[in-house]
Amino acid sequence: MKEELDKRYDPKAFEQRIYAMWEEKGYFAPDDDRDRPKFSIVIPPPNVTGRLHIGHALVNTLQDIIVRWKRMSGFNTLWLPGTDHAGIATQMIVDRELTKQGISRFDLGREKFVEKVWEYKEKFGSEIIEQLKRLGASADWSRLRFTLDEGLSRAVRYVFVKLYEDGLIYRGIAMVNWCPNCQTAISDVEVEYRERDAKLYHIDYPIEGTDRKLTVATTRPETMLGDTGVAVHPDDDRYKSLIGKFVMLPIANRRIPIVGDAILVDPEFGTGVVKVTPAHDKNDYEAGKRDNLPQLQVIDETGHMTNEAGPEFAGLDRFDARKKVLEKLEAGGFLNSAKPYHHSVGVHGKCDTDIEPMISRQWFVKIEPLAQPSIDIVKNGTIQIIPESWQATYFNWMENIHDWTISRQLWWGHRIPAFYCANDHVTVAMETPAKCPQCGSAEIRQETDVLDTWFSSALWPFSTMGWPDETPDFQMFYPTDVLITGFDILFFWVARMIMMGLRFTGKAPFSQVFLNGLVRDEPGDKMSKTKGNVIDPLDVIDEVGADALRFTLAIFASGRDIPLGKSRIQGYSAFVNKIWNAARFAMMHIDTDLKDAAQIDRDKLRVIERWILSRLNDATKNVNKSLSAFRFDEASNTIYQFFWHEFCDWYIEMAKPVLLGRHGDASDQKQAKRILLEVLDRSLRLLHPFMPFVTEEIWQKLGGHEPSIMIAPYPIAEEILEDSEAERLIAAIKSMITTVRNVRAERGFTPKDRFKLYIRGNDTREANFFRTYAYLLIDLARLTEVIVDGEAPAGSHQDVIEGFHVAIEFPERVVTKEQIERTQREIEKTRTEIASNESRLANESFVQNAPPAIVAGARARLAELRERLEKLQQNQ
RNA sequence: AGGCCCUUAGCUCAGCUGGUUAGAGCGCCACCUUGACACGGUGGAGGUCAGCGGUUCGAGUCCGCUAGGGCCUACCA
């Protein structure tokens, strides 16, 4: 049952229709067959309110390629999709929406606000899912999960309680990274460092009772208002006599002690004197505890100065306070100097606000006991990180890991399952206790903090499968096989999934991690809205279709960053178009459908047919091999080269004389049609994971065996199809054709001019081959005649091609400048190569040490080159 | 400061365990509307493989060093 393909390739005409068909038929879901090997993978859940960007397009294309490949290869395949509630990000978005309406979330209160976020989620949460579908993602949507689903939330509470009971979660007061804009604590990995040009200020602190002063240096003069000491190195001869004395803190006019601190102070650095602000600097916080210096909080949660900063400063923004402090220091003669200084500043990655180190009470995960097994599991190869170079980064981070701050002062997220009674006793439990187990108080209130989004993400590979229950899905599909994600969330997500997976399931949550690079623009810059170099995948899909986008992403995905430009996508959309047209050509000439194509009599194959099947087989082998190694670039490039430059450029052209009835008999023609169909069929299946839509559309119209190409078997290499003889002979034919075309152009002939070609075979079998396929040379090289083993007339163009002597006889002797120059260059090249081979072979240690095959190869090459040189010289 | 990576044709990149003549895409030049495709076809130009040194019969490929670029980690005022 064969239909026509439209003359024009128009992805809009079928992509959505095909996707709907797949979905309706239920092809994305695995079945219950436990005897088939399974393959499972979980999606890196995009933010529920997010919009598909090019990074999503990449990571999901790569996953879909692997998933479709495995599914077609016979695995019972699950790709489990879902979305993340994305704590801060989502709260910020909804907050901004409310602000537009003139509402503050504080007006609404926590409960109402969270309701609003849910409304927002219901409204926009499916948008990104729809966008993933447009990309062609074959995830099992019937299993769609959300991190705040009841099931996943239960897993979160379960893990929290268990870790608390095991002593791995604790509540305590510590200095944390605080975002004054979001007004929450964040973890170390959420802090990004930005290089910045600033000033380093030297400030003089007068020493009490003398006219001497100590000079301290700082980039943040406003924090001096919170100084509660000045530290010097206890062994520093310049200052050690001052330890125990006091300085007068300028502006604040407070008396603060001079202390000795060998850890905080490097006597070689700067002035060797350090101001100590225990409430607003991590090092000073530690020093304060060591040296018994009080903590004086001068900056509050919103980044404004507190009353402790003094009446002139209270209420001022921290950056305004900085200016004012500097003015006052200058006026008082305390500002010694201000020098340009380049340093890096920690900012909150989500909102770009400068981090304020802040002492507060938070919840933490004691991480070392979780980290050690996670190091081992990668070291012993149970989990393989690809590309391997990321392993070093992984180990480095794991080995220097700090406790994880998991509480967030937000409203949107998993509320920490800790409960306080009227007497402030803490109960950590899955469900709200009726009364305090310690004092019986029935006045119970839940912790207001929520958990870091990544806490729930860390459980994703198993919480999505119903864990902690032993569900059928969990039993069948956990652990997963591969995790494909961006390297930017190696610490945020991958590392934590490994830690939690090992701790709670006793198994590595996946056995391979493929980390893809970042999509950049062509000059290699990050894509950003401000730079205006963003490529919107949805625009691309509208313009050239999902297949072209997917293929372009795949062909650049080697694991490194991907330089992507519109022109590149355009380039590969030409390939999709080529496939379309090749299929169109095939369908014009094929009168059998795929069901008959299986009966090919291998013994009757002609050499060109053996050749294309051998080439296809080679491509098949390489594609499978490359996909196993996540070399998407190699895999897609292999198909590209094969399909375009072997199948289309050569095979179809070579098959035309027979297909169109110009050569051979009816049975040759029939066989040619079958082979054409066979090669097209296999190529489409090979291509399907990369270009699901166009391959399905063509396949359907060809009338394939299966109801859909996506469940047809993926081609695997068969040794029987390897054919080195056919490869060698067809390579010779191709090379001869190219040479004739080339010489024709150089001698100034037009494509219409036809010549005679003389070929000498090395034996009867080869001579017969060239006689049989003379029509190909005549057709493709535009010849009048091919004479095998005849004597070439003097003056004809002589050459040695793939070991065969050939001569081209021209109707007249034409010698052009181009041709003379070209011949001269060829002769030079040949001579150089002869010399190089001669010297190698003259070298005894080469002949002795090199593998015999290499030596033999050099000898054969040398002989051929000498022959060729001789022939070429006759062309001058 | 430590770690990882990169430097190959005008641009963006491949080159697997070292082995003949270093490849691709895009771009460029010339010619061609040949019954699938001008999102096409044919032919062509273009590279001291960053530099230096070493190992080897042989190095783009392995090992050092140098220069330039990128990324990650890090509490130096």
Side-chain angles (χ1 to χ4, degrees):
Chain A
M1 244 203 287
K2 185 184 67 140
E3 298 168 63
E4 290 283 309
L5 283 182
D6 289 344
K7 193 164 164 60
R8 255 179 53 83
Y9 162 66
D10 178 16
K12 277 205 201 65
F14 55 82
E15 288 194 349
Q16 307 217 23
R17 184 190 79 224
I18 283 174
Y19 196 91
M21 181 273 287
W22 288 331
E23 222 181 341
E24 192 204 323
K25 295 262 175 78
Y27 293 147
F28 300 155
D31 58 36
D32 297 329
D33 185 352
R34 290 182 175 235
D35 296 330
R36 271 204 297 155
K38 70 91 187 172
F39 180 84
S40 59
I41 180 167
V42 290
I43 199 172
N47 290 2
V48 67
T49 54
R51 201 184 135 78
L52 192 82
H53 59 61
I54 196 75
H56 293 128
L58 172 66
V59 75
N60 289 294
T61 293
L62 300 185
Q63 287 172 92
D64 197 48
I65 289 170
I66 294 291
V67 163
R68 285 179 184 270
W69 171 55
K70 287 288 181 181
R71 190 185 288 120
M72 289 176 78
S73 299
F75 290 83
N76 197 5
T77 301
L78 169 63
W79 181 12
L80 202 158
T83 51
D84 194 294
H85 68 281
I88 295 184
T90 304
Q91 176 160 331
M92 275 169 63
I93 289 170
V94 177
D95 219 3
R96 215 175 293 143
E97 285 301 311
L98 288 174
T99 307
K100 273 187 211 160
Q101 299 168 30
I103 309 168
S104 146
R105 73 167 194 268
F106 298 102
D107 299 340
L108 286 178
R110 181 170 189 146
E111 216 165 299
K112 283 262 168 58
F113 178 76
V114 170
E115 256 172 50
K116 282 273 175 207
V117 185
W118 275 105
E119 274 172 34
Y120 196 86
K121 183 255 170 189
E122 294 309 327
K123 205 164 154 193
F124 298 105
S126 55
E127 197 176 48
I128 192 149
I129 301 302
E130 292 310 310
Q131 291 167 337
L132 285 169
K133 290 180 180 178
R134 290 210 57 200
L135 190 67
S138 63
D140 180 5
W141 304 110
S142 72
R143 285 175 164 86
L144 186 72
R145 299 287 185 267
F146 177 50
T147 46
L148 282 176
D149 283 348
E150 177 43 35
L152 279 75
S153 301
R154 193 164 65 96
V156 165
R157 291 198 301 275
Y158 180 90
V159 165
F160 188 95
V161 172
K162 200 84 180 57
L163 286 175
Y164 182 80
E165 287 169 354
D166 294 347
L168 294 183
I169 279 183
Y170 62 92
R171 183 177 182 233
I173 291 175
M175 177 153 274
V176 296
N177 307 298
W178 184 269
C179 176
N181 179 46
C182 304
Q183 294 180 37
T184 177
I186 60 172
S187 67
D188 291 347
V189 283
E190 286 165 276
V191 180
E192 291 178 17
Y193 289 88
R194 302 274 152 83
E195 301 248 312
R196 215 174 270 176
D197 283 315
K199 291 235 166 84
L200 183 66
Y201 301 97
H202 282 87
I203 308 172
D204 295 333
Y205 288 5
I207 301 168
E208 191 187 51
T210 70
D211 53 3
R212 286 178 63 196
K213 57 206 180 190
L214 284 179
T215 304
V216 299
T218 183
T219 53
R220 299 196 57 196
E222 73 280 13
T223 62
M224 68 155 293
L225 298 170
D227 284 3
T228 56
V230 168
V232 298
H233 196 280
D235 300 334
D236 190 333
D237 290 334
R238 292 172 295 179
Y239 307 118
K240 65 181 179 193
S241 62
L242 296 173
I243 295 171
K245 296 198 160 61
F246 290 82
V247 295
M248 189 54 76
L249 187 64
I251 304 178
N253 286 320
R254 263 190 293 118
R255 221 173 140 251
I256 57 175
I258 300 167
V259 299
D261 193 309
I263 298 170
L264 182 68
V265 183
D266 172 5
E268 306 293 313
F269 188 91
T271 57
V273 186
V274 182
K275 65 191 268 305
V276 188
T277 322
H280 297 287
D281 182 281
K282 247 180 190 169
N283 294 314
D284 294 5
Y285 174 71
E286 298 298 329
K289 287 205 281 193
R290 277 194 303 272
D291 304 325
N292 276 317
L293 299 174
Q295 296 158 354
L296 187 64
Q297 190 185 341
V298 292
I299 303 171
D300 69 11
E301 296 72 33
T302 65
H304 292 79
M305 306 310 284
T306 64
N307 290 334
E308 302 286 354
E312 294 175 86
F313 297 98
L316 272 186
D317 175 82
R318 55 191 167 146
F319 297 107
D320 295 334
R322 179 176 301 176
K323 284 188 204 122
K324 190 155 183 185
V325 165
L326 285 170
E327 280 166 23
K328 299 217 72 170
L329 286 172
E330 180 122 54
F334 298 109
L335 190 62
N336 186 310
S337 67
K339 288 178 185 138
Y341 192 66
H342 191 75
H343 68 152
S344 60
V345 177
V347 301
H348 183 197
K350 281 267 178 295
C351 68
D352 256 11
T353 305
D354 285 21
I355 291 299
E356 193 59 54
M358 194 85 75
I359 298 164
S360 63
R361 187 186 291 271
Q362 302 288 346
W363 291 86
F364 300 91
V365 173
K366 193 173 165 193
I367 209 82
E368 270 186 60
L370 296 172
Q372 195 51 52
S374 307
I375 293 169
D376 299 339
I377 201 94
V378 175
K379 284 220 164 120
N380 70 25
T382 308
I383 294 180
Q384 188 194 1
I385 298 180
I386 304 157
E388 223 172 41
S389 53
W390 285 107
Q391 278 192 16
T393 309
Y394 174 85
F395 291 137
N396 185 268
W397 187 75
M398 277 286 190
E399 280 157 11
N400 299 294
I401 200 162
H402 300 293
D403 282 1
W404 176 16
T405 311
I406 48 170
S407 45
R408 297 287 178 277
Q409 288 65 52
L410 303 171
W411 289 349
W412 176 243
H414 299 275
R415 200 154 161 182
I416 289 178
F419 304 88
Y420 307 105
C421 73
N423 298 314
D424 271 344
H425 295 135
V426 181
T427 307
V428 170
M430 294 274 290
E431 307 299 337
T432 314
K435 55 179 191 181
C436 175
Q438 281 186 62
C439 64
S441 160
E443 199 189 317
I444 301 288
R445 57 182 204 283
Q446 188 172 358
E447 168 66 64
T448 54
D449 289 357
V450 300
L451 286 164
D452 182 1
T453 291
W454 298 102
F455 190 91
S456 55
S457 318
L459 317 180
W460 187 251
F462 43 100
S463 65
T464 49
M465 294 185 189
W467 184 91
D469 293 340
E470 283 279 321
T471 62
D473 267 9
F474 181 73
Q475 283 171 5
M476 188 152 172
F477 294 111
Y478 187 85
T480 66
D481 292 271
V482 190
L483 181 81
I484 297 179
T485 191
F487 68 80
D488 51 325
I489 51 177
L490 177 60
F491 306 140
F492 281 103
W493 193 43
V494 182
R496 286 159 178 174
M497 275 192 288
I498 295 174
M499 293 193 275
M500 292 299 194
L502 287 175
R503 179 84 189 178
F504 285 95
T505 68
K507 287 176 190 157
F510 29 72
S511 47
Q512 291 182 306
V513 179
F514 176 75
L515 296 168
N516 62 259
L518 216 63
V519 182
R520 296 168 177 277
D521 68 4
E522 275 183 283
D525 291 326
K526 270 191 188 173
M527 287 190 181
S528 73
K529 280 177 202 140
T530 43
K531 276 187 210 145
N533 58 355
V534 174
I535 292 180
D536 183 340
L538 297 162
D539 289 349
V540 175
I541 292 172
D542 285 338
E543 284 161 27
V544 296
D547 290 326
L549 172 65
R550 291 171 59 116
F551 197 82
T552 310
L553 290 169
I555 208 161
F556 287 105
S558 62
R560 267 192 245 297
D561 286 357
I562 297 173
L564 188 71
K566 289 240 166 173
S567 68
R568 279 160 193 255
I569 302 169
Q570 212 71 46
Y572 288 102
S573 78
F575 180 45
V576 191
N577 187 60
K578 186 78 182 179
I579 294 165
W580 184 263
N581 281 296
R584 233 161 59 79
F585 170 80
M587 286 169 64
M588 284 172 163
H589 300 287
I590 290 165
D591 49 18
T592 53
D593 69 21
L594 276 178
K595 291 179 176 75
D596 301 323
Q599 320 142 3
I600 290 166
D601 187 346
R602 304 254 174 232
D603 296 334
K604 287 192 183 150
L605 289 178
R606 308 176 71 236
V607 180
I608 54 168
E609 294 163 351
R610 282 160 49 200
W611 170 74
I612 194 65
L613 289 172
S614 183
R615 296 307 305 143
L616 172 57
N617 191 61
D618 188 58
T620 303
K621 188 160 68 182
N622 288 330
V623 169
N624 280 297
K625 193 176 140 208
S626 300
L627 284 177
S628 310
F630 302 99
R631 288 299 303 262
F632 300 94
D633 57 332
E634 279 179 6
S636 42
N637 206 33
T638 298
I639 308 178
Y640 180 95
Q641 290 302 328
F642 169 76
F643 195 89
W644 199 323
H645 299 304
E646 299 196 281
F647 180 55
C648 291
D649 286 355
W650 287 102
Y651 182 72
I652 289 183
E653 293 309 317
M654 291 194 296
K656 272 180 184 171
V658 172
L659 281 173
L660 304 177
R662 288 203 304 259
H663 184 87
D665 58 25
S667 93
D668 289 339
Q669 192 184 35
K670 193 173 176 200
Q671 179 164 292
K673 289 176 177 179
R674 283 183 179 169
I675 295 295
L676 182 64
L677 193 55
E678 169 91 1
V679 175
L680 182 61
D681 164 38
R682 281 181 177 246
S683 301
L684 289 172
R685 284 188 279 140
L686 216 48
L687 265 163
H688 180 261
F690 302 86
M691 297 189 181
F693 294 108
V694 73
T695 50
E696 180 76 282
E697 175 69 1
I698 296 169
W699 169 277
Q700 293 287 335
K701 301 218 160 147
L702 279 175
H705 298 75
E706 312 285 339
S708 161
I709 192 171
M710 72 168 280
I711 53 168
Y714 202 70
I716 47 171
E718 300 167 50
E719 216 171 313
I720 194 170
L721 295 174
E722 282 175 26
D723 195 325
S724 59
E725 187 194 45
E727 297 228 10
R728 186 174 66 85
L729 293 173
I730 298 299
I733 295 253
K734 283 168 62 182
S735 192
M736 288 173 192
I737 293 168
T738 305
T739 302
V740 174
R741 286 168 174 168
N742 172 343
V743 171
R744 169 185 283 117
E746 267 158 18
R747 299 230 179 191
F749 290 103
T750 72
K752 291 198 168 81
D753 296 315
R754 290 175 172 262
F755 321 118
K756 253 190 227 173
L757 180 70
Y758 294 78
I759 305 173
R760 185 163 305 148
N762 298 315
D763 56 38
T764 322
R765 191 177 157 85
E766 286 175 356
N768 284 336
F769 165 77
F770 286 115
R771 284 192 188 97
T772 309
Y773 289 93
Y775 77 93
L776 275 186
L777 289 154
I778 292 170
D779 203 70
L780 295 176
R782 293 183 159 265
L783 302 168
T784 49
E785 195 181 351
V786 172
I787 297 158
V788 179
D789 286 350
E791 204 51 49
S796 52
H797 178 99
Q798 312 254 348
D799 207 335
V800 178
I801 295 165
E802 303 283 329
F804 297 101
H805 288 201
V806 297
I808 305 163
E809 187 195 359
F810 302 103
E812 57 195 300
R813 175 144 176 100
V814 179
V815 180
T816 63
K817 201 173 110 241
E818 285 79 13
Q819 195 268 327
I820 292 169
E821 284 170 3
R822 169 55 170 242
T823 304
Q824 201 50 48
R825 257 181 295 156
E826 282 293 309
I827 288 172
E828 282 312 312
K829 234 174 84 182
T830 309
R831 279 191 176 132
T832 312
E833 214 193 315
I834 286 172
S836 121
N837 276 290
E838 278 173 344
S839 78
R840 288 172 78 198
L841 288 164
N843 184 344
E844 251 179 67
S845 51
F846 169 72
V847 179
Q848 277 168 14
N849 297 324
I854 298 292
V855 179
R859 290 221 171 89
R861 180 70 186 160
L862 181 59
E864 191 187 327
L865 286 165
R866 281 176 172 155
E867 264 179 49
R868 177 142 201 260
L869 181 63
E870 195 188 314
K871 298 291 171 194
L872 288 174
Q873 282 169 335
Q874 292 174 31
N875 296 334
Q876 283 186 302

